[in-house]
Amino acid sequence: NEGNEYFREKDYGRAVAAYSEGLRRRCGDAELDAVLLTNRGAAHFHLGNYRSALNDAIQAKKLKPSHLKAIIRGALCHMELKNFSEAVAWCEEGLQIDPKEKKLVEMRAKADKLKLEGTFLGAHTDFSTRCQGRAASFLVFSLPPFQERNIKLVLEPSDEEEEVSDGLAEICLDGFHSDSATGAKVHLDADGNLNWPVLFLYPEHKQADFTVAFHENSRFIDHLMVMFAELPPWDLEKKYLPNNLELYFEDEEREEMYEVNPEHTLLQVLQHERYFVKAGTPTVLVFAKHSPFSKKYFSGKKVHRL
């Protein structure tokens, strides 16, 4: 009930927390758990956390295969993630339950069209530039909420425009833009906590995930547990399990890598003396533990491990 109330108020972050608390009670009622998962997935969806929303829809469908809302939500998530073949499959599954469901009919037609056109707009458009070690010239600046937390923000001048006055003028808590992802912004919630857009990069597979509202006091492991509750379709070797992942951030100025403790909160990582938030979007690199790729990736780099 608390989750539903927050959802009606469009306070989706608190709605996620309330539905999660309901699930932690382990009531044993599959019907209720399916509703909680579907509702939490809807809240994640509104926050732009499409992978988390999809995993909730998958879990809800397992508990209640005929749960149409979960199927619609899962199809919508696949559309947002540009998984058009999977979106078609989910739509077809839902249409077997209700052949006249308008949302599924329209979505299936759209997914079919995009699939045929070969449209794919990945979240990792500038992946190669983000993942390579390189020195960068940048300007570090502070605003009160960030200065209080000892968070270092970075604005890089573009090649075409050396002046940074226009960019600085845009930076405020109501509109601190991220040029690297989907235009999401860091914002203060009602409790005075910062919620950040965060980019997760998977160099081995040239894939990426984007979380729109990562609460500064949330731990990385909590997000990984939701994001990888189901294996992603590109993980054919089934290595990307929540407890089999290593996280790093890159110090581009020094061309060094720092391992991140998954038990740490986002704020703890952002407060690291060598972490610089670029373009308003914290970024972490994710690797499977002890993988041949990671050994090759780190070869020749200075790596600060835990």
Side-chain angles (χ1 to χ4, degrees):
N1 289 337
E2 286 180 10
N4 290 346
E5 185 62 33
Y6 287 133
F7 194 95
R8 282 191 289 270
E9 295 172 358
K10 298 184 179 181
D11 191 343
Y12 301 118
R14 287 186 177 181
V16 166
Y19 294 134
S20 297
E21 181 61 28
L23 288 163
R24 277 194 289 269
R25 299 302 173 94
R26 300 184 183 278
C27 67
D29 184 337
E31 182 92 13
L32 178 56
D33 281 345
V35 172
L36 286 166
L37 284 163
T38 302
N39 289 0
R40 187 174 72 174
H44 271 306
F45 187 89
H46 282 285
L47 288 169
N49 302 336
Y50 302 123
R51 172 67 63 76
S52 297
L54 175 59
N55 286 335
D56 277 345
I58 291 170
Q59 295 300 321
K61 188 158 68 79
K62 285 181 178 178
L63 290 172
K64 187 180 178 183
S66 62
H67 195 17
L68 203 57
K69 284 187 177 180
I71 293 172
I72 292 172
R73 184 65 56 194
L76 285 167
C77 291
H78 278 303
M79 291 293 289
E80 293 293 337
L81 293 168
K82 316 302 179 188
N83 302 330
F84 301 123
S85 295
E86 289 83 353
V88 168
W90 278 63
C91 288
E92 289 179 345
E93 188 174 349
L95 289 170
Q96 289 178 3
I97 299 169
D98 183 356
K100 296 181 180 179
E101 171 54 54
K102 185 179 178 181
K103 288 182 181 178
L104 291 175
V105 172
E106 293 177 351
M107 203 184 328
R108 192 197 187 290
K110 183 177 180 181
D112 260 335
K113 180 183 177 184
L114 292 173
K115 179 184 173 185
L116 290 171
E117 290 175 354
T119 304
F120 179 80
L121 301 174
H124 56 283
T125 305
D126 60 345
F127 180 87
S128 59
T129 59
R130 287 182 164 278
C131 287
Q132 62 183 353
R134 60 185 174 83
S137 60
F138 49 74
L139 174 67
V140 180
F141 57 91
S142 295
L143 291 173
F146 309 114
Q147 194 170 24
E148 293 165 5
R149 294 165 169 79
N150 194 28
I151 295 174
K152 297 167 285 297
L153 306 177
V154 169
L155 184 69
E156 289 187 285
S158 65
D159 294 334
E160 297 81 11
E161 183 179 358
E162 291 299 324
E163 295 183 7
V164 296
S165 57
D166 290 342
L168 285 171
E170 291 181 1
I171 296 171
C172 65
L173 286 179
D174 293 325
F176 186 27
H177 293 271
S178 161
D179 296 324
S180 60
T182 62
K185 308 169 187 177
V186 59
H187 64 275
L188 280 170
D189 61 23
D191 297 322
N193 297 306
L194 288 175
N195 291 264
W196 293 86
V198 176
L199 194 61
F200 293 84
L201 300 177
Y202 312 107
E204 181 173 4
H205 297 279
K206 294 184 172 61
Q207 296 288 333
D209 275 325
F210 186 63
T211 298
V212 171
F214 194 131
H215 191 287
E216 63 180 349
N217 293 323
S218 292
R219 302 181 306 166
F220 278 91
I221 187 61
D222 295 329
H223 277 265
L224 294 175
M225 291 295 285
V226 176
M227 291 165 62
F228 290 94
E230 293 285 328
L231 289 172
W234 42 261
D235 181 21
L236 301 179
E237 297 180 19
K238 300 181 179 180
K239 298 186 299 185
Y240 282 70
L241 303 171
N243 293 318
N244 190 46
L245 300 176
E246 292 181 341
L247 308 180
Y248 294 84
F249 71 82
E250 185 176 15
D251 182 345
E252 294 185 354
E253 183 183 22
R254 296 182 180 179
E255 299 188 11
E256 297 176 357
M257 306 290 295
Y258 288 83
E259 187 174 2
V260 172
N261 186 341
E263 298 289 336
H264 282 181
T265 65
L266 175 60
L267 180 58
Q268 287 176 294
V269 174
L270 298 185
Q271 290 176 330
H272 190 283
E273 62 179 355
R274 294 307 304 171
Y275 198 101
F276 299 90
V277 180
K278 296 177 62 178
T281 306
T283 302
V284 293
L285 285 76
V286 184
F287 302 86
K289 289 181 179 178
H290 313 302
S291 70
F293 177 88
S294 64
K295 290 179 182 178
K296 183 178 180 181
Y297 186 91
F298 293 127
S299 177
K301 292 185 174 73
K302 184 173 182 179
V303 182
H304 300 268
R305 299 191 182 274
L306 296 174

